[in-house]
């Protein structure tokens, strides 16, 4: 049996300068808690679309943008920072809370018995 993780596999959000413009890239990490990004994709994708619009990021600057992965290019530094903050505020707690929920669920006695672990 695989040893349980001690911390959540949080999405990676990167901001970097490319010439005179800025880019934001994000990607999930493969882990059980990351499945929540797929399960809640409609809500999360809608939030990301709204954040892009609110920040004033034109659709042609978006290569892809979903709860699991995204790439937005040709941004100002201010737009890049605002997008990173919005993504972090959205994605990090969702994955962290799912990790916590899964960890608590795994410690329930009836779950351990089904998995074949006996005290």
């Amino acid at each position: 049996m695989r040893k349980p993780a001690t911390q959540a596999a949080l999405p990676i959000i990167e901001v970097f300068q490319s010439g005179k413009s800025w880019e934001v890239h994000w990607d999930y990490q493969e882990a059980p808690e990351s499945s929540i990004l797929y399960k809640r994709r409609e809500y999360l994708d809608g939030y990301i679309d709204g954040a892009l619009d609110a920040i004033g990021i034109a659709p042609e600057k978006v290569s892809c943008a979903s709860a699991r992965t995204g790439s937005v290019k040709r941004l100002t530094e201010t737009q890049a920072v605002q997008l990173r903050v919005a993504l972090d505020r959205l994605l990090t707690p969702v994955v962290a809370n799912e990790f916590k929920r899964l960890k608590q669920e795994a410690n329930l006695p009836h779950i351990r018995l089904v998995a074949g672990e006996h005290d």
Side-chain angles (χ1 to χ4, degrees), residues 21-40:
S21 64
W22 292 77
E23 298 182 9
V24 178
H25 300 271
W26 64 98
D27 200 1
Y28 74 105
Q29 295 187 61
E30 188 63 44
E33 61 269 21
S34 296
S35 67
I36 194 72
L37 297 174
Y38 180 76
K39 291 175 187 171
R40 297 193 59 205

Side-chain angles (χ1 to χ4, degrees), residues 8-88:
L10 300 175
I12 298 169
I13 305 168
E14 298 177 314
V15 176
F16 58 90
Q17 190 170 10
S18 177
K20 293 181 181 181
S21 64
W22 292 77
E23 298 182 9
V24 178
H25 300 271
W26 64 98
D27 200 1
Y28 74 105
Q29 295 187 61
E30 188 63 44
E33 61 269 21
S34 296
S35 67
I36 194 72
L37 297 174
Y38 180 76
K39 291 175 187 171
R40 297 193 59 205
R41 71 183 175 276
E42 287 184 37
Y43 166 77
L44 298 170
D45 289 354
Y47 181 100
I48 291 169
D49 287 345
L52 293 167
D53 189 46
I55 295 168
I57 297 173
E60 60 270 9
K61 295 180 180 183
V62 179
S63 297
C64 66
S66 75
R68 293 173 56 102
T69 186
S71 179
V72 183
K73 301 177 181 182
R74 299 184 323 271
L75 302 174
T76 65
E77 182 178 9
T78 301
Q79 287 175 319
V81 170
Q82 288 176 327
L83 180 56
R84 184 198 53 77
V85 168
L87 291 168
D88 190 44

